[in-house]
Amino acid sequence: MVIIMQREATPEQLQAVIKTIEESGFKAFVNPGVERNVVALLGALDAEKVRLADRFSVLPGVERVAPISEPYKLASRETHPQDTVVRVGKVRVGGPTLAIIAGPCSVESREQTLEVARAVKAAGANMLRGGAFKPRTSPYAFQGLGREGLEILAEARAETGLAVVTEVLDPHDLPIVERYADVIQIGARNMQNSRLLQRVGQCGKPVLLKRGAGCRVRDLLMACEYVMIEGNHQVILCERGITTFEDSTRFTTDINAVPVLKRLCHLPVILDPSHSAGDWRYVTPLAKAAIAAGADGLLVEVHPNPRDALSDGPQSLEPPKFSRLMREATKVARAVGRRMPAARRTQ
Amino acid sequence: MVIIMQREATPEQLQAVIKTIEESGFKAFVNPGVERNVVALLGALDAEKVRLADRFSVLPGVERVAPISEPYKLASRETHPQDTVVRVGKVRVGGPTLAIIAGPCSVESREQTLEVARAVKAAGANMLRGGAFKPRTSPYAFQGLGREGLEILAEARAETGLAVVTEVLDPHDLPIVERYADVIQIGARNMQNSRLLQRVGQCGKPVLLKRGAGCRVRDLLMACEYVMIEGNHQVILCERGITTFEDSTRFTTDINAVPVLKRLCHLPVILDPSHSAGDWRYVTPLAKAAIAAGADGLLVEVHPNPRDALSDGPQSLEPPKFSRLMREATKVARAVGRRMPAARRTQ
Amino acid sequence: MVIIMQREATPEQLQAVIKTIEESGFKAFVNPGVERNVVALLGALDAEKVRLADRFSVLPGVERVAPISEPYKLASRETHPQDTVVRVGKVRVGGPTLAIIAGPCSVESREQTLEVARAVKAAGANMLRGGAFKPRTSPYAFQGLGREGLEILAEARAETGLAVVTEVLDPHDLPIVERYADVIQIGARNMQNSRLLQRVGQCGKPVLLKRGAGCRVRDLLMACEYVMIEGNHQVILCERGITTFEDSTRFTTDINAVPVLKRLCHLPVILDPSHSAGDWRYVTPLAKAAIAAGADGLLVEVHPNPRDALSDGPQSLEPPKFSRLMREATKVARAVGRRMPAARRTQ
Amino acid sequence: MVIIMQREATPEQLQAVIKTIEESGFKAFVNPGVERNVVALLGALDAEKVRLADRFSVLPGVERVAPISEPYKLASRETHPQDTVVRVGKVRVGGPTLAIIAGPCSVESREQTLEVARAVKAAGANMLRGGAFKPRTSPYAFQGLGREGLEILAEARAETGLAVVTEVLDPHDLPIVERYADVIQIGARNMQNSRLLQRVGQCGKPVLLKRGAGCRVRDLLMACEYVMIEGNHQVILCERGITTFEDSTRFTTDINAVPVLKRLCHLPVILDPSHSAGDWRYVTPLAKAAIAAGADGLLVEVHPNPRDALSDGPQSLEPPKFSRLMREATKVARAVGRRMPAARRTQ
């Protein structure tokens, strides 16, 4: 059982809760969050919990009491039945219009990024992705342009009006990433980096949380809980492929995760067909499958010249192929009662 | 390197090939097929193979010579670029019209089967599935009605006109299953039962080959090769979920396998959303995803009363839910340029 | 709930049980075994089962009544707490002396097989393995010498005194395999071939049941149940690697399965380090690990000239390397209170 | 191809390398490390690399030139054939004496930690593990005592003489963790947190790097490379189970990884049987298996009262069970020519 304190709870109120727990014969452990504290009460039998919940929920400074048997609470559709719509500027993620986030894996240069931004805008995307800080399996691989990359993304936004989605790797970089990004991305490799999740949970920007390749759906929801418990409920979840024995593709797209996540939680769910397959030839069919399965959007890698890409070339689409994806995906979106962002431009 | 003999090759011709191999200083091994023999030549260096291929391809009784480095040959799109369309009565699997195979997991009774057959026919399915011989993980589980089940399926076909798809577990049962079935199913548990594959390869009926839950895409194609090498090229491949660490669903639908198989091989590819997820709540979104990804059809479990089903109840749709699936899937099919079979009825 | 009939139960007794089930308001399904019938009673609530068990266990011809919630019964240590020792001639599998089964993947020739048999005998093995009927992923791969291979194995047994372990692929081949083999092997690809399991369950020879590469431990135990329910309780279980995302080895040895199986079931458990890793360089460390973890024996591939092997060359040990494995494994066996069979030779 | 600069290379030397790359018609990207820069040269054909390597290796400030086709370099046994022995005070990890690191999952209190430290010391362990900063899947779970936990560990070290192994979650905490720890642990969830790896690579303490549950062996070696490239070559690798479809244990111990890692790299390799199985009943057999397979040590969770543990209770051994593990493991260690640390106490 956990006792979630109010943000404005005083240290004295926290001490009073702890003292009451101990006087009741249980153990108390405080998990200090940045914006609020959560006190775990350990040792209670299930039968006692209802009675205890009543006692603690009325103490000063207590926001609410939750049974620990519910592994994720804030993300759960049980506690929040209606869909959450995440607002990114004028874009709404999780409503009838799909979120189409496209762009290069890495920001490699001003020219490359602006070229892609214009192309994906023209094809109907409503957000621009691009990595300035790149998590790479190898330390010898290109690690991103850093701040210079962020400035290039900002320039692309200024010109095209596309919101910018970019990844943060480290709490230390968060202030600068937050200054430039419209959506802060947590990548698959950092999905269980609890400190980074907590820090991002304290920032004011929406978060795009990618599932780790070796993590279960419920691990993703628990990672999401780390963000939400800090007060930031603007989280977009992203399926991007899991590691399995199948080796004809780089990862196995867990298409099941789309309806599973939509059923279990109230947050928007998008799918990244580029990383899921690791092969541009399968990106368009997977994009259409994701929309048909109920995804709220796509995250697609586009590069003007994939053969020269500094990262993820094999899975990147050239702009004309991305345009074709958008045309085909538009038909599937309509077939499932959704709109592509491009549709609104013509209204 | 393998030397594929002609069907009508004589034993003398086979011996001559073997003798030539041995005189050339290599080893010969004969893999006797039912309709033709395949002789493996072992020990040749890559550099020698071109020369050897020329020598052996001109011997009497030799159909053709193939390098063994190509793991699957007859199923490969490289050797057969155009799509194969499998004919099941009037139904064409692999063409513009999707194959919708629906019905109960097991044939439990005449009433249950006829009820489902009428319902899936009315909803637009063009084939009826139903197990008379059931492979079960547990010997204590219902093993099927056997011959009585086949007779019930035949009665349902007579009444509804739906072609019958049913599984064979054992070469011993093949004669009777072949007599009743329009399509012979090899189930996931038997995908690597090479004897059964060979026997089915000799029968005159189309084959529905399901991927084993722990098998790679290339293992499925090799299993298919066991069937095709016997002379039966009417094979429909079926993705039905693989075992992974994810446990929010029974299996993980390998949606990637749909475009991967369509690229690598020329045979029709369908998807079974019922087994893939093991949960009826995800069947409709997965069915739509499969069609959007390019599948040539669906295999769906329908039961009048899933709570009482003797097998696979949790993943079976009630007839009204299946009708809804069909209505929704029809829109997605149109969006990707395909037709549902129901569309033809009204013409 | 299942009602297991006595072997000698009459058809009338079976009908009486079915009638009683139906009169009680439940459904009955008969799973006909070769030696005995098992009747499943469906529809009973848990609360009713105790009462029903009492009623049915007293009917004529009923052996015993078992709740279906126990997924495996005959293999379970709960119902049979002491270790089962499987007898193969003078060899005891599952007792203090380890079973060391070694030999070529495939019987390729008389010379190769006799050479290996002599070598593994000299190194201390107590059984000879060798495939006469080979299950292969590819139909173009060597499929085994068939009956000729069995005769070669019999000759090797006659000369060395080693018991022969060989695989059966098909019920049709069982009579001949049974005639030559001391232990009938069911391979990983056939672990869920329920018909083959049933037929093997009716034969009088001990069975070596290999785990399917995509199958869970409990699936293996259920497959074992298919054999045991037919009356053959002389089953040796074998872990041989599972498919995972790790690709530095061909399979991932599930070493956990050794203590898990020893805890859950009473049958002997051996490990195949050759298939598990698919690389001879790891066979000796894995063999030692298996013994240290509590395995009752090993199944090791040995070939006089692995480079020329018609199957599984990369994972086969040359005889001198196998001798070294035996010397090193002997020390580990002693460290965990077990004996190598070689130890008895010196008595 | 990468050009690894010397630590003392000047900015001018770096610029000269970049200029030479660009004048040669290739692209240069600088991956700034903390202690040295690595310049990636992109676009060269394989055929050109030998010539280019010669040209760049003679430039001022260049340490060495390495082909990028080698994915891990500093960890590779090819470049460093002899075993690396990591020194932790008087303890040598990777030599004939095994490293036995034992202790509670979390430091919960002074009493609990001292009790365990004394017990594991008495049983023969030579290092103490204990988490002060805990990475947890759930934000509602106990997150560790933080600095207070580190002080308790230091007290346990002072009393018992055991070196302290503890985890760091965040670069921000590294200074304080480094002050207290003898070995800095990077946990499985942070194995691909590249920033944390880099920062730890700059500290002066040995590192224990745990494999991520969804990561391949080569991903672990690449993560290790992130640490080593910063100048810290004192890395101990730790296998701790991977996620697979098998669900009878929490993870699947990848025992193959022990001989694979020992062959591919020169660093010490230990195994954590507690997390690998997630069940105390399997810890002792797995510990013995790890030693038999060639592991250089163990990481074992011990708790005085596992039922009350704030984390990982089900996999923790009580001190008497740990003593038994040590007695049994000692015999296996001797059988493979290794020593347990306890053996030295009696000298």
Side-chain angles (χ1 to χ4, degrees), chain C residues 223-243:
Chain C
C224 181
E225 202 80 7
Y226 265 100
V227 176
M228 296 177 79
I229 204 171
E230 299 293 334
N232 187 346
H233 289 209
Q234 301 290 297
V235 184
I236 303 162
L237 301 174
C238 181
E239 163 63 27
R240 46 77 73 209
I242 59 174
T243 49

Side-chain angles (χ1 to χ4, degrees), chain C:
Chain C
M1 204 170 90
V2 292
I3 296 149
I4 301 164
M5 301 299 293
Q6 293 168 353
R7 293 195 195 185
E8 58 279 13
T10 63
E12 291 72 27
Q13 289 173 333
L14 178 64
Q15 286 309 314
V17 166
I18 294 169
K19 197 179 160 202
T20 310
I21 290 174
E22 291 172 347
E23 287 174 357
S24 307
F26 302 104
K27 290 187 189 171
F29 280 94
V30 180
N31 290 328
V34 174
E35 297 215 341
R36 62 171 84 237
N37 290 298
V38 175
V39 187
L41 179 155
L42 296 148
L45 299 174
D46 280 348
E48 295 171 305
K49 285 181 181 169
V50 174
R51 180 177 56 79
L52 288 166
D54 285 349
R55 184 192 304 175
F56 286 98
S57 59
V58 298
L59 291 182
V62 169
E63 173 81 26
R64 63 195 188 81
V65 178
I68 206 164
S69 59
E70 241 189 352
Y72 42 89
K73 278 172 274 293
L74 303 173
S76 169
R77 195 176 276 280
E78 282 181 34
T79 60
H80 187 291
Q82 70 278 28
D83 284 344
T84 286
V85 174
V86 172
R87 301 184 172 217
V88 183
K90 294 181 184 172
V91 177
R92 302 279 177 279
V93 186
T97 301
L98 298 176
I100 307 295
I101 310 168
C105 177
S106 303
V107 175
E108 295 169 12
S109 71
R110 191 175 166 278
E111 293 67 32
Q112 167 244 24
T113 304
L114 287 175
E115 180 181 348
V116 174
R118 288 172 200 135
V120 303
K121 165 82 172 179
N126 52 0
M127 288 196 248
L128 175 68
R129 63 150 290 155
F133 296 99
K134 294 301 304 171
R136 303 302 299 275
T137 301
S138 166
Y140 305 114
F142 176 56
Q143 309 280 321
L145 296 181
R147 184 181 194 128
E148 185 190 341
L150 294 173
E151 286 170 357
I152 293 170
L153 289 167
E155 185 179 347
R157 170 176 51 205
E159 183 185 319
T160 60
L162 294 171
V164 164
V165 181
T166 197
E167 181 166 356
V168 65
L169 296 184
D170 192 60
H172 177 263
D173 300 327
L174 185 57
I176 185 169
V177 173
E178 195 180 356
R179 188 148 72 238
Y180 286 96
D182 297 296
V183 177
I184 310 275
Q185 179 177 316
I186 301 278
R189 289 179 182 79
N190 277 312
M191 192 204 87
Q192 295 197 313
N193 180 342
S194 51
R195 292 302 172 87
L196 185 58
L197 295 168
Q198 288 172 330
R199 294 296 193 288
V200 165
Q202 299 152 24
C203 84
K205 291 286 173 70
V207 176
L208 174 59
L209 178 60
K210 298 190 83 173
R211 178 182 182 183
C215 296
R216 293 187 173 87
V217 161
R218 74 165 171 268
D219 298 327
L220 173 62
L221 291 170
M222 293 312 300
C224 181
E225 202 80 7
Y226 265 100
V227 176
M228 296 177 79
I229 204 171
E230 299 293 334
N232 187 346
H233 289 209
Q234 301 290 297
V235 184
I236 303 162
L237 301 174
C238 181
E239 163 63 27
R240 46 77 73 209
I242 59 174
T243 49
T244 73
F245 61 81
E246 176 56 42
D247 56 7
S248 66
T249 48
R250 194 164 164 213
F251 295 97
T252 296
T253 312
D254 184 5
I255 190 80
N256 294 3
V258 174
V260 169
L261 284 168
K262 292 302 290 181
R263 190 175 72 81
L264 296 179
C265 104
H266 54 85
L267 298 168
V269 176
I270 69 171
L271 189 139
D272 173 347
S274 306
H275 281 89
S276 288
D279 187 328
W280 70 267
R281 296 172 297 193
Y282 307 133
V283 168
T284 296
L286 292 176
K288 293 190 283 183
I291 294 169
D296 296 304
L298 301 172
L299 185 65
V300 184
E301 292 193 348
V302 179
H303 194 282
N305 193 352
R307 279 160 203 261
D308 291 346
L310 296 176
S311 56
D312 285 349
Q315 71 201 36
S316 293
L317 292 180
E318 290 157 351
K321 290 199 178 78
F322 177 67
S323 292
R324 198 172 321 134
L325 177 154
M326 290 295 284
R327 286 195 299 275
E328 297 186 19
T330 299
K331 294 179 195 166
V332 176
R334 269 188 220 126
V336 296
R338 306 296 285 266
R339 278 200 297 267
M340 294 297 270
R344 299 196 310 182
R345 293 190 311 155
T346 61
Q347 292 173 347

